[in-house]
Amino acid sequence: MRLGVLDVGSNTVHLLVVDAHQGARPLPAFSHKAELRLAAHLEDGDRLSADGEARLRSFIEDALQIAEDKGVEDLVAFATSAVRDASNGEEILERIRTETDVDIHALSGPDEARLTFLAVRRWFGWSSGRLLVIDIGGGSLEVAAGIDEDPDVAISLPLGAGRLTRDWLTADPAPADEVRKLRRHVRAEIARHVGEVARYGAPDFAVATSKTFKQLARIGGAAPSSDGPYQRRVLQHAGLTGWADKLARMPASERADLPGVSERRVPQLPAGAIVADAAMDLFGISELEVCPWALREGVILRRLDMITG
């Protein structure tokens, strides 16, 4: 069947059209995305602005027309931390449901972690053993670990690269004291949850997803995206620690010249590197393998399971 997945993220809103069938890998057929930066449209600390809502509604209207043109049979829509954490998020989603007939479900943080874990498990298979999966988004950090398709533990922390950049760093490059405070904050937050993961035993295989990890791996020498999804890409903690320090001191213009760094993610890369470095250190991971599948693919796989189950 032809399935449409509408992903309302903190930075980007993305419609992905895939040809998907039970027992087969989803094949991307069409992609339409826009950088709405919904998390930057929060007013009074936690309310999504009228402008942010209008931009989202406009994108959804375009996406519906595209989905119809591409022959989409089933559309599943979800929102992550920017809408989930907004005090008026559910109110906005209800208006959108009424006006567009699109039912966007705000995923909880742990559900994000579980669905991402499912995608990673299906990509690497049972031979990967006990998995530890780490994902850095714009608004949150997700960590999941387990031996089956449903993880034993699924954690979501407000440590997304975009959120931390907005809340903790006032300049580019940020003053050294701000970077130190951010580093302490990130490590304290993650350290509170290390025991929840460790109690289930050491992972056999540690995996990273998300654009932040992909870019950090590319900076560290991993193959470019043009080499395709089956090229093995890894991020070494030994190299990342040095890059986390360098990226915090670099101006945006220099970071933009690094291999694999997209222009729209240049501002939040230092914060993302600080989170990645802390997670690898505190969870005792020397190497992460980057998985090309993540939350969207997890949503697709879960949807197929529900349709055919």
Side-chain angles (χ1 to χ4, degrees):
M1 69 181 300
R2 180 151 282 198
L3 177 66
V5 182
L6 181 61
D7 175 357
V8 181
S10 298
N11 291 317
T12 304
V13 183
H14 188 180
L15 171 69
L16 179 64
V17 177
V18 298
D19 290 319
H21 306 277
Q22 179 69 18
R25 62 189 177 92
L27 296 174
F30 187 80
S31 175
H32 172 61
K33 65 177 74 174
E35 189 181 346
L36 300 189
R37 292 188 177 275
L38 292 178
H41 286 273
L42 294 176
E43 297 177 329
D44 302 324
D46 66 352
R47 286 183 61 82
L48 191 61
S49 69
D51 181 54
E53 179 180 352
R55 287 168 181 258
L56 177 57
R57 188 185 301 108
S58 176
F59 181 92
I60 290 170
E61 289 168 353
D62 291 343
L64 284 173
Q65 184 60 59
I66 291 169
E68 180 181 324
D69 292 345
K70 298 299 179 184
V72 167
E73 303 169 62
D74 185 30
L75 179 69
V76 57
F78 65 91
T80 57
S81 63
V83 174
R84 176 176 69 234
D85 295 341
S87 61
N88 59 340
E90 277 301 328
E91 166 188 329
I92 287 172
L93 293 184
E94 184 55 40
R95 281 197 292 270
I96 289 173
R97 289 184 194 107
T98 301
E99 295 166 9
T100 68
D101 210 26
V102 175
D103 186 8
I104 303 176
H105 176 61
L107 292 176
S108 71
D111 279 346
E112 276 194 57
R114 291 186 189 99
L115 288 165
T116 301
F117 185 90
L118 172 63
V120 172
R121 170 62 75 194
R122 295 273 179 98
W123 181 270
F124 287 111
W126 297 111
S127 63
S128 53
R130 177 169 293 280
L131 283 173
L132 173 63
V133 178
I134 305 174
D135 179 281
I136 302 172
S140 58
L141 164 72
E142 274 72 48
V143 180
I147 195 70
D148 296 316
E149 287 199 339
D150 193 37
D152 297 319
V153 57
I155 298 165
S156 180
L157 302 174
L159 298 177
R163 181 197 297 265
L164 295 176
T165 301
R166 289 190 307 275
D167 294 350
W168 290 80
L169 306 179
T170 62
D172 193 337
D177 64 321
E178 290 185 357
V179 173
R180 281 194 300 274
K181 288 176 183 177
L182 173 58
R183 187 177 183 276
R184 282 199 299 269
H185 168 71
V186 167
R187 285 176 173 262
E189 285 289 313
I190 295 174
R192 291 190 187 104
H193 299 272
V194 169
E196 294 176 51
V197 177
R199 66 190 291 260
Y200 291 99
D204 299 306
F205 193 41
V207 179
T209 69
S210 78
K211 291 286 179 62
T212 294
F213 275 118
K214 288 176 182 177
Q215 292 185 51
L216 291 171
R218 180 74 181 98
I219 290 169
S225 58
S226 59
D227 283 5
Y230 301 113
Q231 176 71 45
R232 185 172 185 262
R233 296 173 175 88
V234 298
L235 177 63
Q236 303 285 347
H237 184 232
L240 173 61
T241 299
W243 273 111
D245 292 336
K246 289 178 193 174
L247 290 168
R249 296 194 302 268
M250 279 184 180
S253 58
E254 289 185 22
R255 295 197 301 271
D257 290 334
L258 293 171
V261 176
S262 65
E263 183 178 352
R264 68 179 181 272
R265 293 180 185 271
V266 165
Q268 64 188 49
L269 193 56
I274 287 170
V275 175
D277 178 41
M280 293 186 77
D281 185 17
L282 291 166
F283 286 112
I285 303 166
S286 60
E287 178 181 282
L288 283 166
E289 182 155 343
V290 179
C291 180
W293 279 6
L295 176 59
R296 270 191 299 275
E297 288 76 16
V299 169
I300 292 167
L301 294 166
R302 179 60 53 79
R303 183 67 169 175
L304 287 173
D305 290 345
M306 291 172 62
I307 291 172
T308 58

